[in-house]
Amino acid sequence: MSNHPGGFPGERDGLQPPRVGPGGRSLSNSSMAFSARNPSLAVSAAPGSFSSDLRSTMSSRAATPRPDGASIFGAELGEEDGKTASERILAVLSEKLNREMKIKEGSENLLEALNTKKAKQTKEQRSKVELELNSSNRKIGQLQSQIEELRRPKEPATPPRARMSTLFRNSPSRASPTHMATVAHHQSDEEDEEETESPTYALAEILQSLEAEGLQPDYYVERSNNLVELFKRHPTLKYDLAWSVFGLRVQTMLLSESKEVVAAGYRVARYAITDRSSLQTIRNLNTDYLVTLSLVKEGKASVEREQALKFIRAFLDVKNGVKEVSRAVVRTMVAVAEHSEDRLRSICIETLAEILIRDPTLLLSAGGVGPLTEVLGDGTYEASPSLVMAFLFLLDMPGTRVFLRAGHGLEVVFSAFTDSLASRGSAEKIKANARVIAAMMKTWTGLMALSMYDFRAIRSLVASLQFPESQVRDTVLELLFEILRIKPPSWSSSFLAGRRLTTYGRVANLQSESSAHATPSSGEETNRQPSLIEHYLALVLAVFLESGLLETLLQLLDHNPEPVLKRKATLLLSEILKMASWMLPSTHNAKIQMLPQLFASASNFSADTRFLAANTVYQIDSVSRTLQRSGAGPLPPVRHIDGVDARDAPRPAEAKSKTSSQIDEAQFRTLMLDSQVLSTANYAKWRWDVLQEISEGPLLNPKRLDEAIKATKFLKRVVGFYRPFKYRFADVKNTKPNQRYVRIGCTLIHTLLQTPEGVKYLVENKLLRQLAECLAQLDHMSGLTSISPLFSATRLAETLSGGYFAILGVLGSDPKGLLMLERWKMINMCYHIIELDKRADLIKTLLGNMDFSLDSHFRVMLSKALTASTKDIRIFATLLLRKYATTFSPPSTTGPGTWGTSTSEWAIRLLVTQLYDPDVEVCETAVKILEEACNATSCLEYVVKCRPALDHLGEIGAPLLLRFLSTSTGYHYLNDLDYIEQEMDDWFLGRNDTYVTLVEASMARAFQTSERARREHDDAWEREAQGAAPPHFYRELTRTTEGCRLLKEKGHFDEFVATIADYHMDDDDAETIVKVKGCLWAVGNVGSMDLGAPFLEESDVVQSIVQIAEQAEVMTLRGTAFFALGLISQSLHGLEILDEYEWDGATTRMGLSLGLCIPLHLGRLFSIKPWSAKAELAHEVSSSHGGPGPEAERDSVNARILELVVDLGNTVLTKKAVSDLMHIKAKRPPGFREPRLFRKVMLALDGHHYRLPVRRFVIDLFEKSVMRRLVLDEESDEELTEAAVGPGDESS
């Protein structure tokens, strides 16, 4: 949405008319007077315009003069004398660029329209348009380059005349120095004149010019654009409009025969909207009739219909403006939304969804709820996941859910899976409905709504897996993967394709690879924030298991469907068992893991299906073991007992590597032969998986390495492949599969650094010498240059040349490698590369591949990039520190390459320095990393020891200050700053309520699983933080005894308990509900700490929270109570209290709580009582606004017309009614010229449901003069006394 009233995304500025009218007559003189007053109006234009559509259809681009740069510089410079020469040229070029952009856009729109027609009929026209488009693109490029040249900062030593002559060297005419001096002399006078411009006078002038009648449409369009520009320059002007004059001008434009003029009228009226009173004034101009007339027009009047719809959407931007939207207009939008081929259908659906949220009574009375429900089910609306959110918003509160039928409406999306006729041959519909279901299942309200009636909707979805339709089964399985947030492992595609698990070369190494990228754990206590997403997923998993998912998947495997589906079902079942093993309490999990149905079938030796069941057991076991080895899927949080980390145990991959390094000579020769390196020099024929195995194992043995160097050409060929000047590795395309060459190269270099023989080989090899020469090509101080350097921007992006920096990173992680880099002066070259201004890509590649665990020159380079580089580089370098700041291991004496306290402290010191960066975004990044580092108590204490000043960061630094409360040292530090009591009062008085919005937004972002969302949140550490409960003041305060003492003295916890007890069943006041939610979060965070147990014991607040979770009528309030109980279950004392209320929590094998609790009986959590919908409301309102019946009309013909119009709403009588109306129309009765009858017909259209073509047919029956007489109140006295009220006035 734009920032302007009723604006659409991407709408263009200004309703710019063509400069040549019909017959080649120039229209520029008609606007000369106003344009001379303020020339900027011709350049800048208002948003919301449709320039390409508002051009006159008779205008010809060929007749429009397009002067070149010479005429611009010579002529335009002499017309205006208020700016310098360069500014004037820039303004003219910008105007030309705007014109070319509009021409280009119009050409693209015309091409799009021609593509819908037959190719043979439009071949010649399409070729002309394509030529015109190419010409525009070429001229746009030229103009942009000229504008960029003008805007580029000029060197002071270069004379202005010389710069201008360089830019316009092809221009035959130039401005003289005398003329330029005159321009400078009059500049101040021009500025004074602009400052004294009278907006009132300009408004009166434009309105007076609009009084003229009979002129070309372009004349009125240009004046309306000027008027909108005036409103934009002077926003307060529209508050002082004389509506008696202004309204008449708008009415006149809206009654024009030209669709461009009508569109301009709607646009002017839209920009004149201020508040609800202005909307009432505009409606008094009879705009409801005009909007209805515009919306029912055919597609040829697209620009008029678009502006009319924007005009109505502007009502929604005004406070309570929806109350001024008439029901007649809403019914018309409903008709457009039902018309599947209408190009405005999507925007009408979106507008109706907004009205559904703001005023559901209005939409229900207009019959719009049903069409929106149909849109959800038919799968043709692309934004259906967003549309369903409007329905979920109504379902949340008891007072609004009565507008929807219980158990209906939302369940229509399941018909694509459960209806055999609907699901056949409609793959797109099935996928679209699956997206809607996924969107609903990711919200608490959606889960509650679909779980009603004993999980009826979810059971139907699970049961659809038994439907013998491959498309349905495959979509449901994919849907379950998405809902449960199961990320398929890297080997899943090969497994689904039919390869055996034992043939995957990388599976055994996946655990070690993933652990290499994971953040190492410390052996101390961590302040891990609870994951709300994990808690929610545990409940969703329990709901699906309660709905029979496990039994259905086993039946799917027993019936032996297609092999791909069977493998996918096996993978899903294994993932579910893995999730259930740690997410669900033992009461829910114990029976699931046994798979009683499957094992009973496999052990039944008398049944024929025994072999199939046994094979299924084997497949599940094989996939489960592979998942365990690869570490794929969601993992439980690591728990540390007595300083022992489970991840420190020897890994199978490491054991295998150590074993394989001791192989004998014959086995080693066999491996080298198997790699094909000795057989061919073509690297494409080498077996790189064998090379990986050799690099990780046998080459670590000095004897085997010596054999590979001296006895064979194995190592010579492999290392030669990586030599830069052989251009083999350097010319490989940069694709994901080819990254294995980089990985194996790094492994090989790392292996060679482990033995003296390997170090000696690297020193003598040409690899490092050539690599140093390639780096010297980038060093401006080396004296070496190259026409096409190896590390050019193009080669870094398209080839694996950047992989050499990964190899440098391996060398920099070892002291022996650092000596090699210093020998070839590569350290100095890297220093100079960091200083390059125009190679941000190279600097990021260099820093991103370096290892800073050693105290080396690379740390100095990083410090330099953190402080003396551009903003992007500083942010990138700050993010690199996360790996080291969040790693805090005990000091070690095993060697200089070991990570220890010094590495973490070094990173933290740099991050604290980044808190004072002049750019806020850099500071925010540093705060986030420090906040994560504070999860470890030792890191937290060191951050506090650095005593960072965060006052200048405001809200950005607040989360980090909250973490300081976790320790006594931080508490006393903040207490000395008088921070704690002030922050405590802020949270108690308002921030506690704000936290509700913050945590709900955090969960919404965490459930964004689309590719676009992944790109927006591309940082892995930020994705990890999504779904975790944001830092809460009272949670951090309760970590220390000093904080608990202060909380007791203040009495805030007792206030929270009292609020929950008094208002926990309130379901009417939204503000009270937010207040209760805030108190629930506060109590839950206090109860999650072990020191918060006394607060829970002294009050019965847990009983109240359980009551809210099981009985509250507000669905989201139940969800908040559910998450609060999960927080309370994190402490051992809270888990014991919840056990008394039949809520069970998941624990580790050591009995530590994971903070995941669900009730023993799920039905109690989803016990929403069905409600009675206000379906009769639509009938009551329709009947009361249906208008006078035939008996109220004295004229028999008019009475017959009204009766036939009512019959048009009946599909059975429509055909006959149309025929009779056409017969009456042929007799030219006077009723079709009477505004009085038109009013009654509009009331009939307002009170009944009609399709869009029917509405258009009825309005077209009347003469066009009727609308003018009606809008301008040109009715006779007799008609006025008999006239009825306008359409939809009662609904306002």
Side-chain angles (χ1 to χ4, degrees), residues 173 245 306 354 372 389 418 489 610 683 696 843 898 953 987 1083 1119 1132 1267 1271:
S173 61
V245 178
E306 287 176 357
E354 293 184 32
L372 288 183
M389 294 302 167
T418 58
R610 180 175 67 86
Y683 70 91
E696 292 177 345
I843 297 175
T898 304
L953 296 180
W987 275 79
V1083 171
L1132 182 60
M1267 184 61 71
V1271 172

Side-chain angles (χ1 to χ4, degrees), residues 603-679:
S603 58
N604 187 3
F605 292 91
S606 60
D608 297 335
T609 59
R610 180 175 67 86
F611 297 102
L612 183 60
N615 181 55
T616 302
V617 172
Y618 168 75
Q619 287 288 343
I620 294 174
D621 178 65
S622 178
V623 172
S624 298
R625 284 188 284 107
T626 308
L627 285 173
Q628 186 66 29
R629 290 200 306 269
S630 64
L635 292 175
V638 179
R639 295 293 175 175
H640 310 285
I641 306 299
D642 298 330
V644 178
D645 190 349
R647 295 178 183 174
D648 293 335
R651 301 183 182 95
E654 295 178 356
K656 179 180 179 181
S657 175
K658 294 177 181 178
T659 304
S660 60
S661 64
Q662 305 300 327
I663 62 176
D664 57 21
E665 181 180 352
Q667 292 174 321
F668 182 56
R669 280 190 169 275
T670 303
L671 280 177
M672 288 193 296
L673 291 174
D674 291 344
S675 67
Q676 302 296 321
V677 174
L678 300 178
S679 304

Side-chain angles (χ1 to χ4, degrees), residues 796 805 832-849 865 869-870 873 876 880:
L796 280 181
F805 290 98
H832 297 152
I833 289 175
I834 295 295
E835 297 174 354
L836 296 177
D837 295 333
K838 299 181 180 180
R839 290 303 307 273
D841 60 326
L842 187 63
I843 297 175
K844 289 182 179 180
T845 305
L846 173 62
L847 294 177
N849 287 282
S869 298
T870 61
I873 298 298
F876 179 80
L880 292 177

Side-chain angles (χ1 to χ4, degrees), residues 1083-1101:
V1083 171
N1085 278 280
V1086 171
S1088 64
M1089 296 289 100
D1090 292 333
L1091 295 178
F1095 294 98
L1096 298 179
E1097 289 179 350
E1098 296 172 1
S1099 63
D1100 294 332
V1101 66

Side-chain angles (χ1 to χ4, degrees), residues 8 70 114 168 198 233 349 423 698 726 742 800 820 862 873 913 978 992 1009 1018 1143 1171 1179 1182:
F8 285 179
L114 292 176
F168 295 96
S198 173
R233 289 199 309 274
I349 292 173
S423 60
K726 285 197 172 184
V742 180
L800 291 183
M820 297 180 194
L862 182 63
I873 298 298
T913 305
D978 294 332
N992 209 30
T1009 55
D1018 197 29
W1143 280 65
W1171 60 89
H1179 174 72
S1182 298

Side-chain angles (χ1 to χ4, degrees), residues 788-980:
S788 57
L790 185 70
F791 298 122
S792 64
T794 304
R795 292 187 65 88
L796 280 181
E798 297 179 357
T799 67
L800 291 183
S801 299
Y804 285 114
F805 290 98
I807 294 176
L808 290 178
V810 175
L811 291 170
S813 64
D814 190 277
K816 297 183 288 294
L818 286 173
L819 293 176
M820 297 180 194
L821 296 178
E822 291 178 0
R823 176 186 178 185
W824 296 108
K825 309 297 182 184
M826 282 190 268
I827 297 292
N828 296 338
M829 299 174 192
C830 291
Y831 271 114
H832 297 152
I833 289 175
I834 295 295
E835 297 174 354
L836 296 177
D837 295 333
K838 299 181 180 180
R839 290 303 307 273
D841 60 326
L842 187 63
I843 297 175
K844 289 182 179 180
T845 305
L846 173 62
L847 294 177
N849 287 282
M850 290 301 108
D851 191 326
F852 304 101
S853 57
L854 296 181
D855 190 4
S856 62
H857 286 279
F858 290 117
R859 286 192 178 184
V860 182
M861 295 179 197
L862 182 63
S863 302
K864 190 173 183 179
L866 286 168
T867 55
S869 298
T870 61
K871 171 187 169 183
D872 291 339
I873 298 298
R874 297 202 307 274
I875 294 177
F876 179 80
T878 305
L879 291 173
L880 292 177
L881 291 172
R882 173 185 177 265
K883 175 182 177 182
Y884 306 94
T886 56
T887 303
F888 203 100
S889 57
S892 176
T893 58
T894 57
T898 304
W899 285 17
T901 305
S902 59
T903 301
S904 179
E905 292 179 353
W906 162 79
I908 290 175
R909 285 196 302 270
L910 290 180
L911 287 170
V912 171
T913 305
Q914 292 304 95
L915 295 176
Y916 310 106
D917 191 277
D919 193 277
V920 178
E921 192 172 350
V922 179
C923 301
E924 187 175 4
T925 305
V927 167
K928 290 181 179 179
I929 299 176
L930 285 174
E931 183 185 351
E932 183 182 359
C934 289
N935 285 335
T937 305
S938 302
C939 285
L940 175 59
E941 292 179 350
Y942 187 78
V943 174
V944 175
K945 183 179 178 181
C946 293
R947 301 181 68 87
L950 301 175
D951 296 342
H952 63 289
L953 296 180
E955 292 296 327
I956 296 177
L960 185 57
L961 289 175
L962 288 183
R963 290 299 177 94
F964 288 0
L965 292 172
S966 302
T967 62
S968 297
T969 305
Y971 179 89
H972 291 296
Y973 168 66
L974 295 178
N975 193 37
D976 294 340
L977 299 176
D978 294 332
Y979 169 82
I980 298 179

Side-chain angles (χ1 to χ4, degrees), residues 962 965 970-989 991 1033-1034 1037 1042-1043 1045-1047 1049-1050 1052:
L962 288 183
L965 292 172
Y971 179 89
H972 291 296
Y973 168 66
L974 295 178
N975 193 37
D976 294 340
L977 299 176
D978 294 332
Y979 169 82
I980 298 179
E981 292 198 11
Q982 180 181 355
E983 189 74 6
M984 193 173 187
D985 293 337
D986 289 343
W987 275 79
F988 183 73
L989 297 176
R991 295 273 294 279
F1033 176 81
Y1034 291 100
L1037 187 67
E1042 296 90 344
R1045 189 182 307 116
L1046 179 63
L1047 182 60
E1049 294 173 357
K1050 286 283 188 177
H1052 289 184

